[in-house]
Amino acid sequence: MSGLVGTSSSKSKIIGKSIDTAKAWCRFNGNVPSISEDFNITSLDDQGTGNYKLNFSDQPRTGNFCAVACSSQSMELLGTTASASVTIEIRNGSNSASDTDKVSVAIFV
């Protein structure tokens, strides 16, 4: 991979620069809330069925960041952000809160 991104953006066009690198990421098991792997995450808080809070080791410089999440199940994932954490809510096809075994989250500023 050359690292070049073909966009007309005036921001960084080289992958790996601070502007386009994940500031934090985590993979966790939501059935038995535990972190499998992470970067820049201090802890995972279970806040009830399908609701998890990830706390940052080194918080982003701004609360304006993007949380991208996916799971091993066919679920909807919703995220809300704060300066020191991100909350992920997992819902099933019936829009009910649901736990799932594999959840991955990446944070970009």
Side-chain angles (χ1 to χ4, degrees):
M1 173 184 275
S2 70
L4 298 178
V5 178
T7 67
S8 60
S9 171
S10 63
K11 295 183 178 180
S12 172
K13 290 185 176 65
I14 300 175
I15 295 173
K17 295 289 186 182
S18 63
I19 195 92
D20 55 13
T21 302
K23 301 302 180 197
W25 56 264
C26 182
R27 180 175 178 182
F28 65 91
N29 182 332
N31 289 330
V32 182
S34 60
I35 295 174
S36 303
E37 298 179 62
D38 73 279
F39 167 70
N40 195 24
I41 301 293
T42 58
S43 62
L44 168 67
D45 299 334
D46 183 1
Q47 299 188 309
T49 302
N51 196 315
Y52 309 94
K53 180 179 173 185
L54 296 169
N55 300 293
F56 300 125
S57 301
D58 183 22
Q59 69 187 36
R61 67 182 187 282
T62 175
N64 298 324
F65 54 87
C66 174
V68 180
C70 63
S71 81
S72 61
Q73 305 297 319
S74 178
M75 309 258 181
E76 295 179 41
L77 295 108
L78 311 168
T80 57
T81 57
S83 60
S85 65
V86 62
T87 299
I88 302 299
E89 185 176 330
I90 302 170
R91 299 203 161 257
N92 61 24
S94 301
N95 200 27
S96 299
S98 180
D99 291 334
T100 186
D101 60 343
K102 296 179 187 113
V103 181
S104 297
V105 181
I107 308 300
F108 296 90
V109 176

